[in-house]
Amino acid sequence: MVIDTGASYVPAFYCSDALITDLSSITIQYLFMNKPILMLVKGSVEEGKREFYTVDGLFDYLKLPFASSLEEQKAFIEAVRDGKQIGEEERKYLRDTYFPLADNCTR
């Protein structure tokens, strides 16, 4: 584990293998790293009952992988360690839908 005390999160993004977070603006920025993202939720993770720690339910971010227990977080970390690309299609969908010009190309 590395504790980053720098003012910028960008170096940490490059060195990371994945992001585990509640709903935050950093999630949007991390989408462009094309690395796995795990959203932390509270309570039941049944469809339609997902609540983020910071807001209750938010549009398409519900498409990202999520966890409400330590066991689910551990499983995510193990999958990342094993090189699995978790949530790749969901991240692509979010980038293409909400940031279609992020690559500076017109469509």
Side-chain angles (χ1 to χ4, degrees):
M1 177 189 300
V2 175
I3 298 176
D4 181 3
T5 59
S8 173
Y9 53 82
V10 175
F13 275 19
Y14 283 106
C15 293
S16 69
D17 294 314
L19 176 67
I20 299 175
T21 184
D22 60 358
L23 185 63
S24 126
S25 63
I26 221 141
T27 307
I28 295 168
Q29 296 163 352
Y30 199 81
L31 276 174
F32 297 97
M33 299 303 298
N34 199 27
K35 296 178 181 181
I37 299 171
L38 180 69
M39 302 295 294
L40 298 177
V41 297
K42 63 181 179 178
S44 171
V45 294
E46 295 174 26
E47 188 67 36
K49 295 183 180 179
R50 303 174 196 166
E51 291 184 59
F52 290 97
Y53 282 111
T54 53
V55 294
D56 291 336
L58 185 65
F59 59 104
D60 281 339
Y61 282 92
L62 295 177
K63 294 183 184 316
L64 290 171
F66 57 92
S68 64
S69 70
L70 185 57
E71 291 78 25
E72 291 168 326
Q73 292 174 48
K74 287 179 182 178
F76 175 81
I77 292 167
E78 290 171 3
V80 169
R81 182 197 61 209
D82 294 342
K84 296 180 181 169
Q85 277 298 317
I86 303 159
E88 189 169 12
E89 290 179 24
E90 293 85 350
R91 294 190 310 273
K92 181 179 180 339
Y93 166 81
L94 291 170
R95 286 191 310 270
D96 291 350
T97 302
Y98 295 102
F99 308 100
L101 304 178
D103 60 1
N104 294 320
C105 294
T106 57
R107 290 190 166 80

XYZ file of all heavy atoms in Angstrom:
860
model
N 0.847 -1.159 0.000
C 0.000 0.000 0.000
C 0.900 1.230 0.000
O 1.913 1.266 0.670
C -0.902 0.012 1.227
C -1.746 1.269 1.292
S -2.680 1.519 2.829
C -3.685 0.096 2.877
N 0.471 2.240 -0.750
C 1.183 3.508 -0.802
C 0.229 4.595 -0.359
O -0.911 4.662 -0.825
C 1.674 3.802 -2.245
C 2.300 5.173 -2.319
C 2.640 2.733 -2.696
N 0.668 5.437 0.541
C -0.130 6.580 0.966
C 0.401 7.796 0.231
O 1.559 8.171 0.385
C -0.067 6.780 2.494
C -0.660 5.549 3.182
C -0.803 8.059 2.886
C -0.566 5.567 4.675
N -0.455 8.388 -0.581
C -0.082 9.532 -1.406
C -0.404 10.815 -0.638
O -1.559 11.080 -0.330
C -0.851 9.492 -2.718
C -0.501 10.628 -3.648
O 0.383 11.433 -3.310
O -1.116 10.716 -4.719
N 0.601 11.591 -0.336
C 0.392 12.851 0.393
C 0.511 14.060 -0.527
O 0.505 15.188 -0.065
C 1.397 12.986 1.555
O 2.720 12.947 1.011
C 1.206 11.867 2.565
N 0.622 13.820 -1.827
C 0.747 14.907 -2.785
C -0.541 15.684 -2.943
O -1.626 15.218 -2.600
N -0.427 16.874 -3.477
C -1.582 17.749 -3.673
C -2.445 17.292 -4.846
O -3.641 17.549 -4.876
C -1.121 19.178 -3.898
N -1.859 16.601 -5.808
C -2.596 16.158 -6.989
C -2.883 14.663 -6.895
O -2.038 13.870 -6.494
C -1.783 16.438 -8.252
O -2.423 15.873 -9.378
N -4.087 14.296 -7.307
C -4.451 12.883 -7.317
C -4.015 12.186 -8.610
O -4.065 10.975 -8.708
C -5.959 12.708 -7.133
C -6.763 13.503 -8.118
C -6.995 13.026 -9.397
C -7.280 14.748 -7.781
C -7.706 13.757 -10.318
C -7.993 15.491 -8.697
C -8.205 14.991 -9.965
O -8.918 15.730 -10.876
N -3.593 12.922 -9.603
C -3.265 12.351 -10.912
C -2.189 11.268 -10.819
O -2.362 10.183 -11.389
C -2.901 13.455 -11.919
C -2.446 12.860 -13.248
C -4.093 14.392 -12.128
N -1.071 11.485 -10.121
C -0.087 10.399 -10.014
C -0.676 9.136 -9.373
O -0.362 8.020 -9.797
C 1.025 10.990 -9.158
C 0.915 12.467 -9.357
C -0.563 12.721 -9.495
N -1.541 9.308 -8.391
C -2.170 8.145 -7.750
C -3.067 7.404 -8.733
O -3.128 6.173 -8.724
C -2.971 8.592 -6.530
N -3.755 8.142 -9.595
C -4.579 7.516 -10.633
C -3.717 6.612 -11.505
O -4.078 5.485 -11.797
C -5.229 8.574 -11.514
C -6.529 9.129 -10.995
C -6.903 9.008 -9.673
C -7.383 9.797 -11.851
C -8.097 9.532 -9.211
C -8.574 10.321 -11.409
C -8.946 10.185 -10.086
N -2.587 7.132 -11.961
C -1.719 6.360 -12.852
C -1.141 5.119 -12.174
O -0.995 4.076 -12.806
C -0.585 7.234 -13.402
C -1.054 8.152 -14.497
C -1.214 9.505 -14.267
C -1.348 7.664 -15.762
C -1.663 10.354 -15.267
C -1.800 8.500 -16.773
C -1.958 9.845 -16.521
O -2.403 10.671 -17.508
N -0.830 5.219 -10.896
C -0.223 4.096 -10.167
C -1.252 3.078 -9.691
O -0.888 1.950 -9.366
C 0.551 4.619 -8.963
S 1.994 5.583 -9.405
N -2.518 3.457 -9.657
C -3.553 2.580 -9.106
C -3.935 1.463 -10.068
O -3.718 1.550 -11.275
C -4.799 3.407 -8.773
O -5.401 3.856 -9.982
N -4.533 0.430 -9.503
C -5.087 -0.667 -10.297
C -6.600 -0.540 -10.413
O -7.200 -1.108 -11.323
C -4.755 -2.012 -9.664
C -3.260 -2.285 -9.688
O -2.637 -2.068 -10.744
O -2.724 -2.696 -8.647
N -7.222 0.172 -9.464
C -8.677 0.307 -9.426
C -9.036 1.432 -8.456
O -8.184 1.926 -7.720
C -9.327 -0.994 -8.973
N -10.327 1.800 -8.468
C -10.840 2.806 -7.539
C -12.003 2.198 -6.771
O -12.917 1.621 -7.360
C -11.330 4.041 -8.311
C -11.992 5.144 -7.493
C -10.980 5.822 -6.568
C -12.649 6.167 -8.403
N -11.963 2.318 -5.446
C -13.076 1.939 -4.587
C -13.536 3.227 -3.931
O -12.756 3.888 -3.239
C -12.651 0.904 -3.529
C -12.156 -0.370 -4.214
C -13.818 0.603 -2.587
C -11.609 -1.415 -3.260
N -14.790 3.594 -4.156
C -15.243 4.918 -3.739
C -16.740 4.956 -3.488
O -17.474 4.072 -3.923
C -14.888 5.948 -4.845
O -15.242 7.265 -4.414
C -15.612 5.647 -6.144
N -17.158 5.985 -2.771
C -18.573 6.315 -2.757
C -18.776 7.219 -3.973
O -17.859 7.423 -4.756
C -18.965 7.000 -1.442
C -18.217 8.299 -1.199
O -17.354 8.678 -2.023
O -18.481 8.940 -0.179
N -19.946 7.735 -4.142
C -20.185 8.593 -5.294
C -19.479 9.919 -5.076
O -19.723 10.620 -4.113
C -21.680 8.819 -5.487
C -22.020 9.597 -6.738
C -21.584 8.839 -7.980
C -23.491 9.879 -6.792
N -18.578 10.240 -5.975
C -17.793 11.455 -5.845
C -17.384 11.913 -7.231
O -17.389 11.142 -8.186
C -16.590 11.161 -4.948
O -15.379 11.495 -5.519
N -17.011 13.179 -7.353
C -16.587 13.697 -8.658
C -15.330 12.995 -9.148
O -15.067 12.945 -10.350
C -16.364 15.211 -8.580
O -15.315 15.506 -7.681
N -14.577 12.441 -8.246
C -13.367 11.724 -8.641
C -13.728 10.496 -9.479
O -12.958 10.080 -10.338
C -12.535 11.372 -7.397
C -11.083 11.605 -7.709
C -12.705 9.968 -6.940
C -10.299 12.187 -6.625
N -14.918 9.941 -9.267
C -15.375 8.796 -10.052
C -15.422 9.152 -11.533
O -14.957 8.383 -12.383
C -16.770 8.346 -9.581
O -16.740 8.136 -8.176
C -17.209 7.081 -10.287
N -15.972 10.304 -11.846
C -16.071 10.750 -13.243
C -14.685 10.900 -13.840
O -14.416 10.455 -14.953
C -16.863 12.062 -13.328
C -18.306 11.827 -12.878
C -16.822 12.628 -14.739
C -19.095 13.081 -12.637
N -13.784 11.510 -13.103
C -12.432 11.708 -13.613
C -11.713 10.372 -13.795
O -10.957 10.191 -14.751
C -11.658 12.635 -12.683
C -12.274 14.012 -12.647
C -11.829 14.839 -11.458
O -11.168 14.344 -10.568
N -12.200 16.096 -11.461
N -11.969 9.437 -12.910
C -11.308 8.137 -12.975
C -11.813 7.288 -14.143
O -11.105 6.396 -14.614
C -11.492 7.388 -11.649
C -10.502 6.270 -11.438
C -9.222 6.533 -10.980
C -10.850 4.956 -11.696
C -8.301 5.507 -10.783
C -9.946 3.920 -11.504
C -8.678 4.209 -11.047
O -7.768 3.190 -10.845
N -13.021 7.571 -14.628
C -13.554 6.833 -15.778
C -12.561 6.804 -16.936
O -12.471 5.831 -17.668
C -14.841 7.477 -16.279
C -16.138 7.104 -15.602
C -17.267 7.971 -16.153
C -16.449 5.634 -15.784
N -11.822 7.884 -17.109
C -10.925 8.009 -18.250
C -9.621 7.239 -18.076
O -8.819 7.158 -18.998
C -10.682 9.485 -18.564
C -11.962 10.159 -18.964
C -12.694 10.869 -18.038
C -12.449 10.016 -20.244
C -13.904 11.451 -18.398
C -13.652 10.594 -20.610
C -14.386 11.311 -19.683
N -9.416 6.656 -16.914
C -8.251 5.796 -16.707
C -8.510 4.400 -17.282
O -7.591 3.620 -17.438
C -7.912 5.690 -15.216
C -7.549 7.008 -14.555
S -6.173 7.843 -15.352
C -4.855 6.672 -15.138
N -9.772 4.099 -17.552
C -10.181 2.788 -18.055
C -9.704 1.648 -17.139
O -9.187 0.631 -17.582
C -9.721 2.551 -19.489
C -10.520 1.428 -20.144
O -11.657 1.185 -19.772
N -9.912 0.743 -21.085
N -9.899 1.888 -15.846
C -9.565 0.895 -14.829
C -10.821 0.603 -14.020
O -11.733 1.435 -13.960
C -8.462 1.428 -13.904
C -7.141 1.684 -14.614
C -6.123 2.245 -13.649
C -4.795 2.541 -14.342
N -3.806 3.065 -13.380
N -10.902 -0.554 -13.375
C -12.103 -0.918 -12.622
C -12.455 0.087 -11.525
O -11.578 0.671 -10.886
C -11.736 -2.270 -12.004
C -10.694 -2.822 -12.906
C -9.907 -1.635 -13.372
N -13.767 0.272 -11.350
C -14.306 1.152 -10.309
C -15.343 0.353 -9.525
O -16.205 -0.298 -10.115
C -14.986 2.397 -10.921
C -13.981 3.221 -11.723
C -15.650 3.240 -9.830
C -14.607 4.356 -12.535
N -15.259 0.421 -8.212
C -16.252 -0.211 -7.344
C -16.934 0.888 -6.541
O -16.272 1.660 -5.844
C -15.600 -1.218 -6.394
C -16.562 -1.930 -5.447
C -17.469 -2.878 -6.225
C -15.794 -2.681 -4.368
N -18.254 0.950 -6.657
C -19.031 1.931 -5.905
C -19.475 1.309 -4.580
O -20.012 0.200 -4.566
C -20.269 2.350 -6.706
C -19.958 2.941 -8.066
S -19.053 4.491 -7.991
C -20.267 5.547 -7.248
N -19.255 2.024 -3.488
C -19.697 1.558 -2.175
C -21.131 2.017 -1.950
O -21.466 3.172 -2.198
C -18.797 2.122 -1.084
C -17.333 1.710 -1.167
C -16.535 2.394 -0.062
C -17.179 0.203 -1.107
N -21.962 1.102 -1.510
C -23.360 1.407 -1.235
C -23.685 0.943 0.174
O -22.963 0.140 0.756
C -24.311 0.748 -2.265
C -24.062 1.294 -3.654
C -24.161 -0.757 -2.266
N -24.778 1.455 0.703
C -25.190 1.003 2.029
C -26.493 0.230 1.914
O -27.256 0.413 0.971
C -25.357 2.183 2.981
C -26.443 3.152 2.586
C -26.527 4.297 3.575
C -27.611 5.281 3.147
N -27.740 6.368 4.096
N -26.725 -0.632 2.858
C -27.971 -1.383 2.876
C -28.018 -2.455 1.811
O -26.995 -2.962 1.362
N -29.221 -2.782 1.385
C -29.451 -3.835 0.406
C -28.895 -3.443 -0.954
O -28.967 -2.291 -1.352
C -30.953 -4.092 0.278
O -31.199 -4.957 -0.795
N -28.347 -4.407 -1.653
C -27.857 -4.141 -3.006
C -28.786 -4.756 -4.042
O -28.422 -4.905 -5.195
C -26.417 -4.651 -3.224
C -25.460 -3.864 -2.371
C -26.306 -6.140 -2.940
N -30.012 -5.064 -3.633
C -30.983 -5.578 -4.585
C -31.314 -4.497 -5.600
O -31.263 -3.305 -5.303
C -32.269 -5.983 -3.863
C -32.088 -7.137 -2.904
C -33.355 -7.385 -2.109
O -34.446 -7.053 -2.597
O -33.229 -7.896 -0.988
N -31.651 -4.910 -6.816
C -31.993 -3.968 -7.883
C -33.062 -2.996 -7.383
O -34.056 -3.385 -6.795
C -32.520 -4.719 -9.108
C -32.725 -3.836 -10.318
C -31.425 -3.286 -10.872
O -30.412 -4.008 -10.839
O -31.433 -2.132 -11.334
N -32.815 -1.726 -7.592
C -33.773 -0.700 -7.203
C -33.679 -0.270 -5.759
O -34.388 0.629 -5.328
N -32.795 -0.888 -4.979
C -32.680 -0.528 -3.572
C -31.271 -0.097 -3.222
O -30.866 -0.167 -2.079
C -33.090 -1.705 -2.690
C -34.540 -2.092 -2.829
C -34.889 -3.206 -1.879
C -36.343 -3.579 -2.016
N -36.697 -4.675 -1.127
N -30.518 0.340 -4.200
C -29.138 0.750 -3.962
C -29.111 2.190 -3.470
O -29.677 3.067 -4.077
C -28.323 0.640 -5.243
C -28.335 -0.736 -5.827
C -27.636 -0.740 -7.147
N -27.964 -1.954 -7.866
C -27.736 -2.143 -9.134
N -27.160 -1.217 -9.846
N -28.062 -3.266 -9.712
N -28.433 2.425 -2.401
C -28.273 3.779 -1.896
C -26.791 4.056 -1.749
O -26.086 3.335 -1.070
C -28.946 3.940 -0.538
C -30.448 3.879 -0.576
C -31.012 4.141 0.801
O -30.743 5.214 1.348
O -31.707 3.255 1.314
N -26.325 5.117 -2.388
C -24.935 5.499 -2.238
C -24.759 6.175 -0.896
O -25.682 6.735 -0.336
C -24.518 6.448 -3.367
C -24.433 5.758 -4.685
C -25.479 5.808 -5.587
C -23.308 5.026 -5.020
C -25.399 5.159 -6.792
C -23.216 4.374 -6.227
C -24.271 4.441 -7.118
N -23.549 6.137 -0.387
C -23.293 6.764 0.904
C -23.540 8.270 0.866
O -23.906 8.865 1.848
C -21.853 6.500 1.346
C -21.671 5.114 1.891
C -20.924 4.169 1.213
C -22.250 4.748 3.095
C -20.759 2.893 1.721
C -22.098 3.475 3.609
C -21.350 2.552 2.920
O -21.181 1.301 3.418
N -23.314 8.899 -0.287
C -23.434 10.352 -0.326
C -24.746 10.825 -0.907
O -25.186 11.905 -0.596
C -22.281 10.969 -1.146
O -22.246 10.335 -2.417
C -20.956 10.774 -0.440
N -25.374 10.056 -1.767
C -26.677 10.426 -2.321
C -27.502 9.160 -2.479
O -26.962 8.072 -2.581
C -26.577 11.126 -3.704
C -25.897 12.454 -3.593
C -25.892 10.252 -4.720
N -28.792 9.322 -2.511
C -29.671 8.166 -2.679
C -29.996 7.974 -4.147
O -30.762 8.740 -4.716
C -30.962 8.357 -1.888
C -30.713 8.307 -0.401
O -29.710 7.698 -0.006
O -31.514 8.875 0.350
N -29.379 6.960 -4.743
C -29.667 6.614 -6.122
C -29.273 7.708 -7.098
O -29.675 8.838 -6.945
N -28.493 7.400 -8.105
C -28.107 8.394 -9.095
C -27.991 7.735 -10.459
O -27.123 6.904 -10.666
C -26.789 9.072 -8.714
C -26.345 10.208 -9.596
C -27.332 11.377 -9.485
C -24.966 10.689 -9.220
N -28.869 8.091 -11.335
C -28.970 7.664 -12.733
C -28.051 6.514 -13.126
O -28.094 5.434 -12.555
C -28.835 8.869 -13.659
C -27.551 9.672 -13.551
C -26.560 9.540 -14.511
C -27.335 10.560 -12.520
C -25.388 10.266 -14.431
C -26.159 11.276 -12.431
C -25.193 11.131 -13.385
N -27.239 6.692 -14.111
C -26.490 5.591 -14.709
C -25.299 5.102 -13.894
O -24.733 4.076 -14.242
C -26.002 5.997 -16.100
C -27.101 5.900 -17.127
O -28.079 5.171 -16.874
O -26.986 6.539 -18.171
N -24.900 5.795 -12.871
C -23.772 5.292 -12.091
C -24.131 3.989 -11.401
O -23.272 3.253 -10.949
C -23.248 6.332 -11.113
C -22.409 7.326 -11.866
C -22.970 8.479 -12.381
C -21.080 7.056 -12.151
C -22.225 9.347 -13.135
C -20.330 7.921 -12.910
C -20.907 9.072 -13.397
O -20.168 9.920 -14.160
N -25.428 3.679 -11.385
C -25.855 2.393 -10.860
C -25.393 1.254 -11.755
O -25.443 0.097 -11.364
C -27.378 2.351 -10.721
C -27.959 3.322 -9.712
C -29.478 3.244 -9.723
C -27.435 3.036 -8.323
N -24.944 1.559 -12.955
C -24.445 0.532 -13.862
C -23.064 0.028 -13.442
O -22.658 -1.054 -13.826
C -24.382 1.067 -15.289
C -25.742 1.376 -15.883
C -25.607 1.827 -17.310
C -26.890 2.254 -17.948
N -28.049 1.438 -17.743
N -22.321 0.819 -12.693
C -20.988 0.400 -12.255
C -21.109 -0.710 -11.216
O -22.107 -0.806 -10.509
C -20.234 1.587 -11.644
C -19.810 2.676 -12.620
C -19.284 3.890 -11.865
C -18.759 2.166 -13.593
N -20.099 -1.541 -11.093
C -20.110 -2.559 -10.038
C -20.223 -1.898 -8.655
O -19.708 -0.795 -8.449
C -18.751 -3.249 -10.196
C -18.364 -3.002 -11.603
C -18.916 -1.646 -11.936
N -20.900 -2.543 -7.741
C -21.112 -1.972 -6.420
C -20.960 -3.035 -5.348
O -21.037 -4.229 -5.641
C -22.499 -1.326 -6.343
C -23.603 -2.290 -6.657
C -24.226 -3.002 -5.652
C -23.999 -2.498 -7.963
C -25.227 -3.911 -5.945
C -25.005 -3.403 -8.272
C -25.617 -4.103 -7.258
N -20.730 -2.576 -4.127
C -20.579 -3.492 -2.989
C -21.158 -2.851 -1.744
O -21.028 -1.643 -1.541
C -19.111 -3.814 -2.767
N -21.794 -3.667 -0.927
C -22.309 -3.172 0.344
C -21.701 -3.912 1.533
O -22.016 -3.612 2.669
C -23.835 -3.303 0.392
O -24.206 -4.660 0.346
N -20.820 -4.856 1.255
C -20.206 -5.600 2.358
C -18.696 -5.690 2.152
O -18.193 -5.542 1.034
C -20.778 -7.017 2.439
O -20.338 -7.786 1.326
N -18.008 -5.969 3.222
C -16.565 -6.151 3.159
C -16.209 -7.344 2.275
O -15.226 -7.298 1.529
C -15.994 -6.326 4.571
C -14.482 -6.400 4.684
C -13.823 -5.159 4.070
C -14.070 -6.550 6.133
N -17.021 -8.384 2.311
C -16.763 -9.561 1.488
C -16.818 -9.209 0.000
O -15.998 -9.685 -0.793
C -17.771 -10.673 1.797
C -17.604 -11.285 3.172
C -18.182 -10.408 4.298
O -19.097 -9.592 4.027
O -17.693 -10.529 5.426
N -17.794 -8.381 -0.394
C -17.899 -7.966 -1.795
C -16.710 -7.099 -2.198
O -16.204 -7.208 -3.315
C -19.207 -7.215 -2.033
C -20.421 -8.110 -1.929
C -21.726 -7.346 -1.874
O -21.776 -6.240 -1.299
O -22.713 -7.873 -2.413
N -16.254 -6.262 -1.279
C -15.072 -5.443 -1.561
C -13.838 -6.327 -1.729
O -13.027 -6.115 -2.641
C -14.855 -4.432 -0.449
C -15.935 -3.367 -0.387
C -15.774 -2.472 0.811
O -14.685 -1.985 1.077
N -16.856 -2.255 1.544
N -13.691 -7.318 -0.863
C -12.551 -8.245 -0.968
C -12.585 -9.003 -2.287
O -11.551 -9.185 -2.939
C -12.557 -9.226 0.208
C -12.146 -8.610 1.517
C -12.207 -9.657 2.622
C -11.856 -9.079 3.955
N -11.962 -10.071 5.048
N -13.768 -9.433 -2.715
C -13.899 -10.160 -3.983
C -13.488 -9.263 -5.151
O -12.814 -9.716 -6.088
C -15.335 -10.654 -4.165
N -13.851 -7.993 -5.097
C -13.464 -7.037 -6.137
C -11.940 -6.887 -6.178
O -11.323 -6.956 -7.234
C -14.129 -5.686 -5.866
C -13.708 -4.589 -6.805
C -14.283 -4.473 -8.061
C -12.740 -3.666 -6.426
C -13.895 -3.451 -8.926
C -12.349 -2.658 -7.279
C -12.929 -2.542 -8.536
N -11.345 -6.707 -5.020
C -9.886 -6.539 -4.943
C -9.173 -7.777 -5.481
O -8.207 -7.664 -6.232
C -9.456 -6.220 -3.495
C -9.961 -4.824 -3.106
C -7.941 -6.320 -3.337
C -9.864 -4.518 -1.621
N -9.662 -8.953 -5.130
C -9.057 -10.185 -5.631
C -9.197 -10.293 -7.147
O -8.262 -10.707 -7.836
C -9.679 -11.392 -4.940
C -9.280 -11.502 -3.487
C -10.059 -12.561 -2.727
O -10.892 -13.274 -3.335
O -9.837 -12.666 -1.509
N -10.348 -9.902 -7.683
C -10.561 -9.957 -9.134
C -9.614 -8.985 -9.849
O -9.033 -9.321 -10.880
C -12.010 -9.633 -9.469
N -9.433 -7.797 -9.282
C -8.502 -6.833 -9.866
C -7.081 -7.390 -9.805
O -6.341 -7.324 -10.784
C -8.595 -5.461 -9.148
C -7.461 -4.536 -9.571
C -9.946 -4.810 -9.425
N -6.724 -7.945 -8.674
C -5.397 -8.546 -8.519
C -5.153 -9.633 -9.559
O -4.051 -9.784 -10.087
C -5.252 -9.115 -7.111
C -3.875 -9.734 -6.841
C -3.871 -10.633 -5.647
N -4.799 -11.736 -5.880
C -5.446 -12.376 -4.920
N -5.280 -12.043 -3.677
N -6.264 -13.372 -5.216
N -6.213 -10.365 -9.889
C -6.108 -11.457 -10.859
C -6.186 -10.972 -12.304
O -6.193 -11.783 -13.227
C -7.195 -12.498 -10.597
C -6.996 -13.217 -9.261
O -5.876 -13.167 -8.703
O -7.973 -13.817 -8.773
N -6.284 -9.656 -12.486
C -6.258 -9.085 -13.832
C -7.585 -9.051 -14.561
O -7.627 -8.797 -15.763
N -8.682 -9.269 -13.869
C -9.995 -9.235 -14.511
C -10.417 -7.785 -14.750
O -10.222 -6.936 -13.892
C -11.027 -9.962 -13.663
C -10.713 -11.433 -13.523
C -11.734 -12.147 -12.681
C -11.352 -13.607 -12.544
N -12.148 -14.283 -11.549
N -10.987 -7.517 -15.904
C -11.470 -6.175 -16.243
C -12.938 -6.054 -15.840
O -13.839 -6.228 -16.653
C -11.282 -5.890 -17.736
C -9.908 -5.432 -18.090
C -9.564 -4.103 -17.406
O -10.361 -3.174 -17.352
N -8.370 -4.041 -16.851
N -13.173 -5.748 -14.604
C -14.520 -5.662 -14.056
C -15.171 -4.349 -14.486
O -14.588 -3.283 -14.344
C -14.465 -5.740 -12.524
C -13.777 -7.022 -12.123
C -15.844 -5.617 -11.911
C -13.232 -7.002 -10.738
N -16.389 -4.434 -15.018
C -17.145 -3.229 -15.354
C -16.663 -2.485 -16.585
O -17.015 -1.332 -16.780
N -15.899 -3.136 -17.434
C -15.334 -2.460 -18.606
C -16.432 -1.928 -19.530
O -16.364 -0.782 -19.991
C -14.416 -3.413 -19.361
C -13.616 -2.753 -20.447
C -12.525 -3.660 -20.996
O -12.534 -4.868 -20.704
O -11.671 -3.140 -21.707
N -17.449 -2.730 -19.807
C -18.535 -2.281 -20.678
C -19.306 -1.127 -20.067
O -19.707 -0.200 -20.768
C -19.480 -3.446 -20.973
C -18.875 -4.505 -21.866
C -19.836 -5.657 -22.121
O -21.069 -5.450 -22.017
O -19.361 -6.752 -22.429
N -19.538 -1.172 -18.764
C -20.264 -0.114 -18.077
C -19.491 1.207 -18.129
O -20.066 2.266 -18.355
C -20.549 -0.502 -16.626
C -21.513 -1.667 -16.485
C -20.853 -3.041 -16.581
O -19.658 -3.136 -16.947
O -21.548 -4.026 -16.281
N -18.177 1.132 -17.924
C -17.355 2.358 -17.994
C -17.375 2.941 -19.394
O -17.496 4.159 -19.579
C -15.922 2.065 -17.551
C -15.798 1.698 -16.085
C -14.349 1.662 -15.621
N -13.454 0.894 -16.467
C -13.235 -0.416 -16.351
N -13.883 -1.120 -15.433
N -12.372 -1.031 -17.147
N -17.290 2.079 -20.392
C -17.326 2.546 -21.778
C -18.662 3.220 -22.072
O -18.718 4.282 -22.688
C -17.089 1.396 -22.749
C -17.093 1.840 -24.203
C -16.825 0.695 -25.138
C -16.802 1.065 -26.603
N -17.438 2.254 -27.030
N -19.751 2.606 -21.604
C -21.070 3.199 -21.791
C -21.131 4.603 -21.189
O -21.600 5.550 -21.819
C -22.156 2.312 -21.168
C -23.478 3.019 -21.027
C -24.344 3.136 -22.109
C -23.848 3.604 -19.821
C -25.544 3.821 -21.989
C -25.046 4.282 -19.690
C -25.896 4.389 -20.777
O -27.069 5.080 -20.652
N -20.666 4.748 -19.961
C -20.697 6.055 -19.298
C -19.852 7.082 -20.036
O -20.277 8.217 -20.244
C -20.232 5.927 -17.845
C -21.183 5.181 -16.917
C -20.509 4.918 -15.585
C -22.476 5.950 -16.738
N -18.653 6.685 -20.454
C -17.793 7.618 -21.201
C -18.441 8.015 -22.520
O -18.503 9.202 -22.855
C -16.420 6.986 -21.455
C -15.526 6.921 -20.245
C -14.094 6.540 -20.613
N -14.016 5.358 -21.460
C -13.912 4.115 -21.007
N -13.867 3.885 -19.712
N -13.832 3.089 -21.838
N -18.937 7.036 -23.264
C -19.525 7.325 -24.575
C -20.813 8.129 -24.471
O -21.098 8.968 -25.324
C -19.799 6.030 -25.342
C -18.528 5.318 -25.777
O -17.425 5.909 -25.655
O -18.642 4.160 -26.218
N -21.601 7.880 -23.452
C -22.888 8.552 -23.292
C -22.744 9.980 -22.785
O -23.353 10.902 -23.317
C -23.795 7.759 -22.335
O -23.975 6.440 -22.865
C -25.147 8.434 -22.159
N -21.928 10.178 -21.758
C -21.863 11.481 -21.100
C -20.664 12.320 -21.519
O -20.650 13.533 -21.280
C -21.882 11.300 -19.585
C -23.191 10.709 -19.135
C -23.289 9.369 -18.803
C -24.341 11.481 -19.120
C -24.494 8.816 -18.433
C -25.559 10.938 -18.756
C -25.633 9.606 -18.413
O -26.841 9.059 -18.064
N -19.677 11.703 -22.145
C -18.474 12.442 -22.542
C -18.060 12.052 -23.959
O -16.923 11.650 -24.194
C -17.335 12.152 -21.555
C -17.742 12.366 -20.132
C -18.090 11.290 -19.333
C -17.811 13.639 -19.603
C -18.488 11.483 -18.020
C -18.211 13.844 -18.291
C -18.555 12.763 -17.493
N -18.965 12.175 -24.933
C -18.657 11.695 -26.280
C -17.506 12.431 -26.962
O -16.896 11.905 -27.878
C -19.973 11.888 -27.034
C -20.655 12.982 -26.308
C -20.269 12.794 -24.865
N -17.200 13.630 -26.535
C -16.135 14.400 -27.155
C -14.876 14.461 -26.310
O -13.985 15.261 -26.573
C -16.617 15.820 -27.462
C -17.884 15.897 -28.336
C -18.300 17.327 -28.553
C -17.674 15.168 -29.645
N -14.783 13.601 -25.324
C -13.640 13.640 -24.407
C -12.331 13.340 -25.097
O -11.276 13.739 -24.627
C -13.857 12.663 -23.264
N -12.375 12.663 -26.240
C -11.137 12.371 -26.959
C -10.811 13.463 -27.990
O -9.969 13.273 -28.846
C -11.207 10.998 -27.632
C -12.344 10.902 -28.637
O -13.062 11.895 -28.839
O -12.507 9.819 -29.224
N -11.510 14.604 -27.894
C -11.302 15.767 -28.758
C -11.673 15.523 -30.204
O -11.249 16.255 -31.095
C -9.849 16.272 -28.681
C -9.523 16.808 -27.317
O -10.360 17.471 -26.706
N -8.347 16.521 -26.837
N -12.467 14.521 -30.457
C -12.929 14.255 -31.810
C -14.404 14.623 -31.916
O -15.148 14.488 -30.958
C -12.783 12.770 -32.161
S -11.081 12.217 -32.232
N -14.806 15.116 -33.059
C -16.227 15.383 -33.260
C -16.880 14.134 -33.803
O -16.270 13.358 -34.516
C -16.439 16.557 -34.242
O -15.778 16.238 -35.465
C -15.880 17.850 -33.669
N -18.113 13.947 -33.462
C -18.843 12.758 -33.940
C -20.091 13.206 -34.651
O -20.640 14.195 -34.454
C -19.195 11.864 -32.765
C -17.960 11.205 -32.186
C -18.380 10.134 -31.170
N -17.306 9.269 -30.837
C -16.339 9.568 -29.975
N -16.297 10.712 -29.388
N -15.399 8.684 -29.707
